[in-house]
Every structure is written in structure tokens, then in C-alpha cells.
Amino acid sequence: MAGSHGFAKVYEGMSSDNIKGLVLALSSSFFIGASFIVKKKGLKKAGASGIRAGNGGYSYLYEPLWWVGMITMVVGEVANFAAYAFAPAILVTPLGAVSIIISAALAHIILRERLHIFGVVGCVLCVVGSTTIVLHAPQERQIESVKEVWDLATEPGFVVYAVLVMAAAFVLVTHFVPRYGQTHVMVYVGVCSLVGSLSVMGVKGLGIALKLTFSGMNQLIYPQTWIFAVFVVTCILTQMNYLNKALDTFNTAVVSPIYYVMFTSLTIVASVIMFKDWDGQNPTQIVTEMCGFVTILSGTFLLHKTKDMTESSSVSSSSRSSKQSDEDGFDHEGIPLKGRESFRASP
């Protein structure tokens, strides 16, 4: 009884807008998690007959399977877009952990990318951390006009953040991508995450404008609405381009959690600066949210490390096989090594 009473208190403490945002965010994660796998299957098929996306090719645009994945991702992003219109970014963004679990599980089943037992533990930690954040998330800020969002976006604190993020993304694209894009996953994912943190703020501004418009307060007459729309489209196109490169070059089970960690961290920072999400919360709530986020980070770290463990075990297995062949005097095809040497020596 005490447990159900506590849950009821938590439920009652969530506003109707927060609940709508929660449902939309969970739906979004399911679609986006599945889209990673479908898109990678499409990228693999396209890469087999043309120039790979990781090498600068765009043959995937002619692959139907990639478009299925893209449509699935768009559906998820639309749900995500709607979620930001109803709930604060601190609640919506961490729920992307659900998409990590889905993409890691499907990669294990469909793409045959092995998921270690510690990866399962990592998935559980992601769920626990996300739940902690959801239960202690702040209420959505009440905004009556898109002009209010614009005023928040043009305050000095957020302007400084935006300039720093755009400068960092520019340096990554012009200096690091040509040199390290094919060997360091953080390069492509870094561009996606930096640009993504700004796109979420734009999405939230546009989403609020559309929500107010549908409720009878037309916001389409304000130029700020259209500025947000153009900004969002530009950011999303940039994100998709570099996300495709990352997925085509690196293991999906690695790209997904790293992208989630960087994107979520930067988005929370951007939201705290722009919308001042923590102003109405006490220190206990803020610390609890941070503990939940650290739990998610621990889970994604485990997912990342299990990939290294899998690769190490396969390499060591290959080395043991090679060593055993040398000791037995036979190669991997079962042909005596000494016999081969004698064949080479024969005229």
C-alpha cells in the first residue's frame, strides 16, 4: 500500500504536459532504435555496390532499405519533436536510452554484432538512470508566445554557448574529419552531438510555436517561428549526414551509446542555460537527476567496453589458433607446414 501510494504521489506530481511528453518520448525511442539497424542494413547493401558513405559516397540514397530506415527515424523524430513541445528537455532527452537498448539488442540479433553479458547490464543501468531522471524532472515552463522563446535564445549566456558549439563543430568538420574521421568514432559523433544540442533548442522553440498555433494562438505570423524552422532543418540535415558516416564506419552498438551520451549531456547543458530548467528545483532534485544521468553514463560505458572485449576475445582466439597451427606443424587448412616448404623448394 505504501509503495502504491508513493507511486500515486509521483504520478500526481507530473503535469499532464509532462505525461504527454513522456509517452511521446518513449514511442520515439522505439522507432529511432529500430531505424539505426534498418539504416545500417541499407548502408551495407549500398556499400557493396557503390562508394560507402564513410568514404564520402551517397549510393545509399538509391537503396530502398535505407529509405525504410530513414522513414522509421523520421516517425521517431516527429514523436520526439512533439515530446519537446510538451515536456522539458531534461525529461525527454535522457529517454533516448531506450533507443540504445533497442538498437543494441537488434544489432545483436539482426546484424550479428555480439552483445556481451555486460552489455545487458549496461542496458539495465540505462533504464534505471532514465527512470530516476523522469521521476524527478522539472515541470515544463509555461510559455505564451514564441517571442518568449526567442528572448531566452538571445540572452547572453545562451548566445555564448551557441557560438562555442558552432566554433567547435566547424573545427571538427574542417580539421579533424579529413584526418581522423575513419579511425576515431568521436569525430563524426562529436559533430552530430554538438549540432544536435542546438537543434533541440530550435525544435523546442518551433514545437512550442506550433502547439500554441493549434490551440488557437497563431504564432506563424511571427518571423521568429520561421527562423526556428530554417535553423532546425539545417541542423538536422547536418546531423543526418555525419550520423550516416559514423554508422557506416563503426559498430552500431558503439555509435549509438556514445552519440547518446554526448548528445544528452550537451542538450541538458543547453536546456539548463536557455530555459533555466533547474531554477524551480531544490538541490536534492538536481543531485538525484545527476545521479540518474551518471547511472546512464555507466550503462553506456559498459556497452562501449563490451565491444572492445568482444574484439579482444576474437583476436586472441585467432592468435591461439595460429599458434596452435605452428605447434602442430599444420596451417589452418590442415596442410603440413613443412610439406609446404618442401613444395616451394621443389622446381
Side-chain angles (χ1 to χ4, degrees), residues 35-333:
S35 75
F36 272 105
I37 308 306
V38 179
K39 285 176 67 180
K40 179 142 190 178
K41 290 283 284 186
L43 288 169
K44 283 187 172 182
K45 287 187 66 177
S49 58
I51 301 175
R52 295 175 57 192
N55 294 327
Y58 294 93
S59 58
Y60 60 84
L61 294 175
Y62 301 97
E63 174 55 50
L65 191 58
W66 182 86
W67 282 106
V68 171
M70 191 64 187
I71 291 171
T72 305
M73 176 169 276
V74 168
V75 173
E77 292 295 349
V78 169
N80 199 46
F81 176 92
Y84 281 113
F86 289 98
I90 289 182
L91 188 155
V92 175
T93 308
L95 291 178
V98 177
S99 69
I100 295 178
I101 298 168
I102 293 171
S103 62
L106 291 180
H108 176 72
I109 297 170
I110 298 174
L111 300 180
R112 306 300 179 187
E113 295 177 358
R114 185 182 171 194
L115 181 63
H116 194 275
I117 184 63
F118 288 137
V120 177
V121 176
C123 291
V124 172
L125 287 174
C126 288
V127 172
V128 172
S130 296
T131 303
T132 302
I133 292 177
V134 167
L135 295 179
H136 296 85
Q139 299 298 323
E140 170 70 337
R141 186 189 186 104
Q142 295 301 313
I143 295 178
E144 302 298 330
S145 170
V146 71
K147 288 184 175 181
E148 291 183 39
V149 184
W150 182 261
D151 290 340
L152 293 171
T154 53
E155 287 187 357
F158 186 74
V159 169
V160 170
Y161 172 81
V163 170
L164 290 175
V165 164
M166 288 188 286
F170 179 78
V171 171
L172 282 175
V173 170
T174 58
H175 180 75
F176 289 94
V177 166
R179 293 172 174 81
Y180 308 109
Q182 296 293 310
T183 56
H184 292 74
V185 66
M186 298 292 286
V187 177
Y188 287 145
V189 174
V191 176
C192 294
S193 303
L194 287 166
V195 176
S197 70
L198 294 180
S199 72
V200 168
M201 299 302 102
V203 163
K204 192 160 181 63
L206 182 60
I208 290 172
L210 293 177
K211 183 179 75 170
L212 292 173
T213 298
F214 292 143
S215 67
M217 295 180 285
N218 186 13
Q219 303 295 304
L220 301 180
I221 59 175
Y222 299 115
Q224 290 90 338
T225 301
W226 300 103
I227 293 173
F228 279 130
V230 172
F231 182 74
V232 166
V233 170
T234 303
C235 289
I236 289 176
L237 290 176
T238 303
Q239 282 180 267
M240 290 301 99
N241 181 37
Y242 286 97
L243 183 58
N244 281 330
K245 293 178 184 292
L247 286 171
D248 191 45
T249 307
F250 304 99
N251 191 307
T252 307
V254 173
V255 172
S256 298
I258 293 177
Y259 176 54
Y260 168 78
V261 170
M262 294 184 66
F263 172 69
T264 304
S265 300
L266 291 169
T267 299
I268 289 176
V269 171
S271 183
V272 167
I273 294 174
M274 180 170 167
F275 288 97
K276 302 174 179 59
D277 292 326
W278 286 343
D279 282 5
Q281 293 195 292
N282 59 50
T284 301
Q285 290 174 310
I286 295 173
V287 170
T288 303
E289 288 169 15
M290 289 298 95
C291 287
F293 186 55
V294 170
T295 303
I296 297 174
L297 293 182
S298 301
T300 52
F301 174 77
L302 269 181
L303 282 168
H304 178 52
K305 293 304 292 182
T306 53
K307 188 256 184 182
D308 294 336
M309 293 167 62
T310 302
E311 288 185 345
S312 298
S313 64
S314 63
V315 170
S316 61
S317 176
S318 176
S319 299
R320 285 195 299 270
S321 176
S322 176
K323 182 179 179 181
Q324 185 67 36
S325 297
D326 292 342
E327 291 175 351
D328 293 343
F330 290 84
D331 72 352
H332 66 283
E333 295 173 345

